[in-house]
Every structure is written in structure tokens, then in C-alpha cells.
Amino acid sequence: MKNIIINIAKYTLVVLMIVSCGEWEYSVPEVSPGLKNDCINHSLGPNVVGQYIEFAYAMAIKPEEGKLTTATVEASIAGAEGTYLDHKSYYTNGSGVNVGIEVGNASTTSGNKTTVTFTADTCAATLRYYYKIPEEARGKDVSFTFSASASNGEKVQYEMGPYKVREMDLKLDLIAKDGSTCYISIADMAVYDASAATSNPERIDLIYLHRSVPGVTFNHSIVSPTSEAQYKPGLELPPGLKNRSKLIKAWNIQDRQLARMQYGVFVDDVDLKNMNFNGAPDYIINMRPESGLWVETENGKYKAYIFINKADNAKKEITFSVKRLQVN
Amino acid sequence: MKKYILLFLTMTSFLVLATECADYPIDEDGLLITDRAECYVSNFDLLGTDFQTVRTAAPAIDTTAQTINIEVFFGTDLKNLYPQFTLAQDAKLDPKITGKEDFSDLTNPKKWTVISGNRKVRKTYTVYVSVQQPS
């Protein structure tokens, strides 16, 4: 009896193995007929006026059904000058480099619509769309309708958005130099020399200086015109400068849009809006590359985040980038 | 022999369980009140608003005089500093540190009391801050 049970178990096991090891034939999935499309938003972080929102728009049709004729993007608010739909379709080569193949004429923009007309005999392409955010979109939502047409008369479209455009402003790579263009205006997001500062003293919020003070680490510093003399040694202020900006030192906030580095950190409207400057000082000394500072102007009109991109000891200058929000 | 081994194992298990399950009381902060009487500060630091240390060197901690002397960099914003204490095991600090502290009044140094794990020993430390000066 025992042997019979063991034999049954053995046979069952063999049968199970045969069944479970059945070979499954792979076949290429059958594509349903018709023109298809898809889209992804390629950009990260807050959408700021003057910056780009990037998309990749893919479209394809079976070769026997036709070929691509046009690709169009319609934005709910017309893009600023510099908005375009790339007329190249990209692939990544063996070295990991994106290589573009021209598939159509350079895009043309008319009002809200940007169009590429295909010249290559192609049935599949992915085009990149770069929407430069215009001033009119500040604080508003913007959406996009991507559409494609094929030679057989078929049309498809894909809706993207809405995307909120922030209230803030952004300015990249301003250079402040000790003893010359060292007067910084948050209101203008610009740097001035002494004569320009004298003409518009009410617009100067900060002063950059570089000093080597024995016994302490002073180096690159940013101070308000009102800061104590010990924090601006040897500096003769142009007449009329009297703004007391409040400053908070920051580290490890390498905002991706300002730093253009690998970090996934973004300063957004809400960060600037909620920053509390109660009891903040009016000076910061020893600023280093990749450090930052939060600023509130004397009149409380602006809050800003300044990121130090570069600090050159020999030239006594810094390169910095700014995000600024008008709060009042 | 087998019987003795079994008995030994049972007793050991019982002892381990009894030790593990020692029921310590909990204080008003939800922290365990233990048997430890050690009560001291083993390290101290001050961080700026950028959460980087502002001290120029290791602080001088005198556990007998119950003082901490720390020098900070020239230009440190003394009104907005985050103190960081390292204490003896199971000890706690009073008052609690919940955010930034103002150290700008150098003539009236700030004080914190360390309370031991058994909550029976209290030692008040005075923090003296000095600012590095140009030479």
C-alpha cells in the first residue's frame, strides 16, 4: 500500500513538472490600427516667468496606414519669444548621447499655436516642445493641447496641464565685485556701482564686500547699508544709503534652477512667503560657494533667496543667482 | 541528565523574560525613569541658521563647576542659535530646547539643568559664549 502511494506521488510530481514547464511562445504584440500619441512633461520644479516648461510629444502610425504630416501644440496663453517645437526626433546612441534627426521644417508659431510640418517620410517621431513662460502667465494656470495629423487624414490630440505659473522672479548669474559693482538691488534684481547707487540710494538693499581681516574669517560678505562698522571695514558708503535689509544665512539649499547642479531642491513661492525674518540680522560674513541667504527688504515689499554660484578670492567677486517674490 | 538541562533552560528563559520586562515608570514627558544617577553634559555645540556649527573649537565643559565655555566665529548672529547638548545616558534637559535661542546678552549667560535618568539628581550648567575677535 505504502509503495502505491509513493508511486502515485512520484507520477503526480512528474506530471506537474511537465505541465509547469510548458513553453510559452512569445509574439510581438499586435498594434491596434490608427494614429497614436502620448506626452510627458520633462521639466522639474516651479514654473517661473522667463523659464521653460519642456515636454516630449510622441506620435506614431503603422507604415502601411500612412505617415506623419504635422505636429501642433496650442498653449492656453501664448508663449514668450523663444517658444518652439523641436523639428528633430531624438535617439540615444551607444555613448548615451542624444542624437537629433531632422524630420520636418523648423517650427512656426502663430498666436498660441506652434507647428512642425514633417518633411521626412516617417511614421513615428518624438518631438520636444519648449514653452517659454511669458509675463502674461504670471500667477495663472497654463495648459497645452498637443495634436498630430497623418497623411491618411487621421488626427489625434493630447491634453496636458493645467500648470501653475509662480509669482516669483528669477535672475541668474549676477556678478558683484568688491569696490566697483558691489551695490545690490533686490527691487531691480541688479548690481550697481557707486555712482548708480548714489543716484538711486533707496533701491540699494545690500552691499557685497571682500576683506581679509587678521584673526577672523571674513572673506566674501553681504551686508545692509545699516550694518555695524565692524561688518563693513574700510567701506565708504555713497550718500543716502539707509536700507536695513534682514538676512538669514542658509546652507544646503542648492536650488536646482539657480545652481543648475544635481540637487533636487527647489525654492518655491510658498517658501519665500512663509520665511520669518523676525530678529534677523542685517549682515552675513564669510559666504562660501553653494551657500545662500534669505533676504527681506527694508520696506517688506520683497523676499528673496540668493544663491552663491561662485566666489573668487583673487578677483574679490561673487557670482550669484536670485529668486524673488513680491509679498506686499 | 536531560531533565536537568530542560530545567536549566526553563529557568534561564524565565530570568531573561523577567529582566526584559522590567517595568520602568514614565515621567511627565513620556520618558523612562531609569536607575541611572549620572548627570552631566558630555558635549555641546551651537548651530547657526544654516545649521552649521559656529564654534571655533571644542567647548570647555567643566562638569565640577558645571560650566560650558564656547567661542563662536566673528560675525555670528548670537540672537538666532540652536544649542545642542549631549547628555549622560537617560538624562534630560530643563528647560527643553524647542528652537532658536538668543545668546546675545553675554552678561547674563543662559542656564540649563540636567536631570539624571532616575530623576533624583539635578545639575544646572551655565553656558558662557564669547565671540572671536580680530587680532
Side-chain angles (χ1 to χ4, degrees), chain A residues 271-289:
Chain A
D271 302 310
L272 291 165
K273 203 171 181 177
N274 293 342
M275 184 55 67
N276 184 355
F277 288 86
N278 283 344
D282 58 359
Y283 65 92
I284 287 177
I285 67 167
N286 191 26
M287 298 293 294
R288 290 171 288 160

Side-chain angles (χ1 to χ4, degrees), chain A:
Chain A
M1 182 62 187
K2 198 176 172 184
N3 282 343
I4 294 169
I5 292 169
I6 289 169
N7 282 333
I8 290 171
K10 277 180 186 172
Y11 288 127
T12 312
L13 202 63
V14 170
V15 168
L16 273 174
M17 282 181 77
I18 290 166
V19 173
S20 61
C21 296
E23 210 172 285
W24 181 67
E25 287 284 333
Y26 174 78
S27 60
V28 177
E30 190 65 31
V31 180
S32 56
L35 180 60
K36 313 281 182 208
N37 66 350
D38 201 355
C39 190
I40 56 166
N41 179 357
H42 200 245
S43 47
L44 295 170
N47 304 309
V48 183
V49 172
Q51 300 294 298
Y52 285 95
I53 308 178
E54 297 176 26
F55 298 90
Y57 179 53
M59 62 223 97
I61 187 168
K62 280 182 165 180
E64 60 270 25
E65 290 179 20
K67 59 181 183 177
L68 299 173
T69 53
T70 61
T72 303
V73 189
E74 185 173 1
S76 59
I77 300 169
E81 197 177 329
T83 295
Y84 68 102
L85 181 59
D86 203 344
H87 60 299
K88 289 175 181 169
S89 190
Y90 289 84
Y91 72 94
T92 308
N93 71 10
S95 310
V97 178
N98 279 344
V99 180
I101 304 287
E102 248 184 59
V103 291
N105 294 323
S107 65
T108 54
T109 300
S110 171
N112 296 12
K113 283 188 180 176
T114 305
T115 304
V116 161
T117 305
F118 286 91
T119 51
D121 183 4
T122 183
C123 62
T126 300
L127 302 186
R128 295 173 183 188
Y129 176 59
Y130 298 87
Y131 176 77
K132 192 167 187 184
I133 304 168
E135 182 57 44
E136 303 82 70
R138 188 186 298 277
K140 294 178 187 162
D141 284 335
V142 59
S143 350
F144 304 90
T145 305
F146 291 81
S147 57
S149 61
S151 58
N152 65 356
E154 274 194 80
K155 285 183 178 160
V156 282
Q157 69 176 49
Y158 203 102
E159 303 289 337
M160 293 294 280
Y163 301 98
K164 181 81 179 167
V165 175
R166 302 304 198 267
E167 297 279 359
M168 68 166 83
D169 286 295
L170 185 153
K171 190 96 174 187
L172 298 174
D173 300 331
L174 293 164
I175 296 174
K177 194 169 174 59
D178 182 42
S180 62
T181 51
C182 60
Y183 301 96
I184 302 167
S185 169
I186 297 296
D188 298 344
M189 295 176 77
V191 289
Y192 296 115
D193 60 13
S195 65
T198 307
S199 309
N200 290 295
E202 73 287 350
R203 300 193 80 78
I204 304 303
D205 302 296
L206 301 166
I207 304 157
Y208 162 73
L209 66 159
H210 180 280
R211 298 285 184 275
S212 298
V213 180
V216 300
T217 314
F218 199 98
N219 295 336
H220 304 273
S221 302
I222 291 179
V223 300
S224 288
T226 55
S227 62
E228 287 177 38
Q230 62 173 333
Y231 301 125
K232 45 179 199 266
L235 182 73
E236 200 173 313
L237 276 184
L241 266 64
K242 56 182 182 192
N243 283 339
R244 187 192 184 279
S245 305
K246 293 176 185 167
L247 310 176
I248 297 172
K249 202 172 188 178
W251 182 249
N252 268 341
I253 308 178
Q254 295 102 328
D255 178 278
R256 195 180 179 113
Q257 289 167 316
L258 301 180
R260 286 147 287 163
M261 297 170 86
Q262 71 274 27
Y263 306 101
V265 178
F266 294 94
V267 172
D268 210 334
D269 278 3
V270 69
D271 302 310
L272 291 165
K273 203 171 181 177
N274 293 342
M275 184 55 67
N276 184 355
F277 288 86
N278 283 344
D282 58 359
Y283 65 92
I284 287 177
I285 67 167
N286 191 26
M287 298 293 294
R288 290 171 288 160
E290 291 190 39
S291 67
L293 67 148
W294 302 92
V295 187
E296 186 183 53
T297 55
E298 157 96 39
N299 55 12
K301 191 174 178 183
Y302 297 108
K303 289 183 180 179
Y305 178 69
I306 293 178
F307 178 78
I308 310 294
N309 301 91
K310 276 187 258 172
D312 191 321
N313 291 336
K315 290 182 181 170
K316 296 186 177 181
E317 67 176 35
I318 53 166
T319 304
F320 65 96
S321 301
V322 190
K323 274 185 174 178
R324 181 201 68 178
L325 179 70
Q326 185 174 333
V327 285
N328 283 317

Side-chain angles (χ1 to χ4, degrees), chain B residues 41-92:
Chain B
V41 173
S42 58
N43 196 17
F44 180 75
D45 202 355
L46 286 171
L47 306 183
T49 52
D50 54 358
F51 304 109
Q52 302 296 297
T53 185
V54 293
R55 70 185 193 190
T56 58
I61 302 170
D62 188 332
T63 52
T64 310
Q66 292 163 210
T67 58
I68 299 170
N69 283 279
I70 187 166
E71 186 192 57
V72 298
F73 290 116
F74 175 76
T76 296
D77 172 20
L78 297 176
K79 285 186 175 174
N80 296 288
L81 291 175
Y82 295 95
Q84 264 190 351
F85 284 86
T86 308
L87 306 177
Q89 195 171 348
D90 299 341
K92 70 173 190 176

